Amino acid sequence: MEALTNRAKQVSHKEMTLGEKFYLPAIIKGLKITFQHIFKKTVTINYPEVKREISPVYRGLHVLKRDDLGRENCTACGLCAVACPAEAITMDAAERKRGEEHLYREEKYAAKYEINMLRCIFCGLCEEACPKDAIYLTDRILPSNYSRDKFIFGKDLLVEKMDARIDVSLRKKKKDDNSIL
Ligand code: SF4
Ligand code: SF4
C-alpha cells in the first residue's frame, strides 16, 4: 500500500539487551529528568486553593447594568444579538407600562434576555455594540456545571443586583476610548 506521508516508522522487534532488561538505565534517565526539574520554579498553581491573578479587563461573565436609579439600561434593541458571532444571545422585547418607570430606563425593555454560555466565546462584541451601556463583560469566571441547561443565563443571573452593583468602570473607559479589549 502506498504511504500518504513519510512519517511512518518501522516498529523495532529487536531483543532487549541485558541492561535494558534490568530497566536501570531507563529509571536513572527518568530520575535525572525529575531531579533537574524538582528545584526549578513551578509554573503551575494549586487551584482552587490558589487562584491566579487575572487582568482587571478580563472578559468573563456578562452583566446587564442598571443606571444610578436602579433601572435596567437595556432597551432590547437587539444590536448585541446581531453583533454576536456565536449567536448566543436571544431576547424578547416588551413595552414599559405606566408605573414601571422605576424599573426600566426607557419605554422598551427586555422581558426576556438570555445568553447561552456554551456558545459564547467571550469576544466582547456584544459590549462593543451596545449603545445603552447595558451589557458589559466582567472579571467573574463562568462557574462549571453538570447540566447544559444551567449554562443558559437569563435575566435572573445577568442583571446586576441592587445591593451588589458591579464596577465596570475600567471596561467602560476602554470602550469610551474606542479600543477593543
Ligand atoms: S461575548 Fe461575544 S460570543 Fe459572547 S455573547 Fe457577547 S458577542 Fe456573543
Ligand atoms: S444589551 Fe444593549 S445592545 Fe443588547 S439589546 Fe440591550 S440595549 Fe440593545
Side-chain angles (χ1 to χ4, degrees):
M1 195 169 49
E2 204 176 315
L4 290 175
T5 69
N6 59 358
R7 290 197 296 266
K9 278 186 187 164
Q10 283 293 325
V11 178
S12 165
H13 292 294
K14 75 174 176 62
E15 275 280 305
M16 283 200 285
T17 62
L18 189 63
E20 283 170 341
K21 281 184 182 162
F22 279 123
Y23 296 106
L24 266 179
I27 290 171
I28 292 166
K29 199 172 156 194
L31 282 175
K32 195 176 146 207
I33 294 171
T34 304
F35 280 107
Q36 270 170 1
H37 286 272
I38 215 161
F39 299 110
K40 281 191 182 163
K41 191 171 179 284
T42 52
V43 290
T44 51
I45 54 162
N46 295 328
Y47 185 85
E49 287 80 21
V50 181
K51 296 215 170 54
R52 190 186 293 280
E53 202 176 307
I54 57 171
S55 162
V57 286
Y58 173 83
R59 290 199 298 259
L61 209 51
H62 313 61
V63 61
L64 286 175
K65 292 292 291 175
R66 297 175 183 274
D67 68 4
D68 292 342
L69 301 176
R71 303 173 299 183
E72 290 178 20
N73 284 355
C74 178
T75 59
C77 67
L79 285 177
C80 51
V82 173
C84 177
E87 298 188 359
I89 303 176
T90 49
M91 74 191 73
D92 287 340
E95 293 287 332
R96 185 180 72 187
K97 295 191 185 66
R98 194 174 293 176
E100 291 182 337
E101 292 81 0
H102 64 293
L103 298 175
Y104 313 111
R105 192 175 63 178
E106 298 194 18
E107 286 164 7
K108 211 170 79 163
Y109 70 96
K112 183 182 120 184
Y113 190 107
E114 284 180 355
I115 301 181
N116 183 336
M117 296 298 175
L118 291 179
R119 299 191 71 131
C120 177
I121 53 170
F122 299 92
C123 62
L125 288 179
C126 47
E127 175 186 293
E128 290 294 318
C130 180
K132 301 289 180 184
D133 274 344
I135 187 162
Y136 283 96
L137 276 68
T138 69
D139 59 0
R140 297 172 302 163
I141 292 169
L142 178 69
S144 53
N145 216 302
Y146 290 107
S147 160
R148 296 180 75 83
D149 299 348
K150 297 279 190 298
F151 288 97
I152 311 290
F153 276 47
K155 282 184 70 177
D156 54 330
L157 296 171
L158 293 170
V159 178
E160 68 178 341
K161 305 279 176 281
M162 285 297 287
D163 55 353
R165 304 298 290 264
I166 293 169
D167 180 20
V168 290
S169 50
L170 254 177
R171 291 203 66 81
K172 187 166 159 31
K173 182 175 178 311
K174 282 289 177 189
K175 184 181 171 187
D176 294 344
D177 291 350
N178 232 356
S179 54
I180 297 178
L181 287 170

